[in-house]
Amino acid sequence: MNSLTYQPNEALEAALCRAQSNAFLPRGTVRCQGPPAFRTQLARDLGCLLDVDDEVDAWSCLPAALTSEGDAHIPDFLIKRGRRHTLVDAGPGPGHPWLCSAARERGSDYQAWPKSAIRDGVRLSNAKDLLRYARWECPLGDRIRLLGALDEAGSLSVGECLATFRETRPMAGLASLVLQRFVEVELDQARIGPETAVRRRRD
C-alpha cells in the first residue's frame, strides 16, 4: 500500500456507510484524506490525536480489508508518517494473529492502540478543544501579526496572542494556526489556558 487512497469494494463500502452514519464529535478534521468515518467514539478520539500529532502527515478511515484464509478485518485507520504507513485499530482490535503479516503484505505495519493510550492525560481534551475550529481559516493579516510578534518575543502566552487578532475571532484564529502548524502549544502538561505558552513552529 503506497498511498492513502481509499480502496473500494463491497465490504469496505458497507463499513464506510455504517460508520458515516455515526455522529461523533468533534466533526472537523485537518489531515484526514477521504471521507471521515468512525465506528466508535474511541476511534473518533484517536482521530483527534492524529490531527495534533506532529509526526503524522495524513490519515484515512477504513482504508482496506485485511484477509487471511476466509477471515477479514477492516482497520480503523491508515496513518502516513513520512514513508511509513501503519494500519491502526482503536482499542484492542480483533486479536487475529495474522493481522501483522497481512498488513506487511500491503507495505504497512499494524498496531492496536489501547483505550488508555488514547484517553489518558489531557492531550485528547486539548485536541478536541482545538478541533472545534478545524474548518476555520485564519486571515493572512492576523497570521502575519502573530508570527511577527512571536519572532520578536520568542514566545507569548495564549492571552497575549489573542490581542494580536483584529480580523477574526481570536481563539478561532489561534486554534487554526496551531492546527495548521504555524505555531505550537504544549498539549500534554495541562489544559490550554491563558497562560499556555505559544511559540512559532520551526521545521
Side-chain angles (χ1 to χ4, degrees):
M1 185 179 299
N2 54 19
S3 75
L4 292 177
T5 302
Y6 183 68
Q7 300 181 0
N9 64 31
E10 186 174 343
L12 287 170
E13 292 290 354
L16 181 65
C17 183
R18 288 193 300 270
Q20 285 183 302
S21 69
N22 296 325
F24 299 123
L25 298 176
R27 294 189 180 278
T29 64
V30 180
R31 290 173 182 86
C32 179
Q33 294 188 344
F38 309 102
R39 291 179 288 201
T40 65
Q41 181 64 59
L42 189 64
R44 179 65 193 106
D45 291 348
L46 178 51
C48 294
L49 296 183
L50 298 179
D51 268 339
V52 298
D53 187 332
D54 289 341
E55 295 184 356
V56 172
D57 298 316
W59 52 279
S60 61
C61 301
L62 308 177
L66 300 178
T67 59
S68 176
E69 298 180 354
D71 288 333
H73 175 64
I74 302 171
D76 287 312
F77 302 107
L78 174 64
I79 304 170
K80 180 182 179 183
R81 299 180 179 91
R83 296 183 178 179
R84 180 184 174 190
H85 291 71
T86 308
L87 290 162
V88 172
D89 277 314
H96 299 318
W98 49 265
L99 283 173
C100 289
S101 58
R104 282 195 298 270
E105 291 176 2
R106 293 177 172 268
S108 300
D109 300 321
Y110 172 80
Q111 297 174 351
W113 284 39
K115 180 179 179 180
S116 60
I118 298 170
R119 291 186 172 165
D120 284 0
V122 297
R123 174 171 279 259
L124 177 60
S125 296
N126 283 329
K128 288 184 173 183
D129 284 342
L130 292 170
L131 284 166
R132 290 182 57 202
Y133 306 101
R135 297 171 183 168
W136 206 273
E137 290 290 336
C138 180
L140 176 61
D142 281 345
R143 188 177 81 216
I144 290 174
R145 273 186 287 275
L146 178 59
L147 295 182
L150 289 172
D151 283 342
E152 184 174 338
S155 69
L156 296 170
S157 69
V158 166
E160 291 169 327
C161 288
L162 298 184
T164 68
F165 289 88
R166 302 175 189 172
E167 302 174 36
T168 193
R169 292 167 55 188
M171 195 63 242
L174 180 58
S176 172
L177 292 177
V178 173
L179 292 171
Q180 296 300 326
R181 297 178 177 172
F182 287 100
V183 301
E184 58 188 8
V185 297
E186 173 56 53
L187 298 177
D188 295 306
Q189 298 301 317
R191 294 292 297 271
I192 296 170
E195 73 288 345
T196 302
V198 180
R199 295 176 177 83
R200 185 167 182 174
R201 182 180 170 89
R202 305 288 186 182
D203 291 325

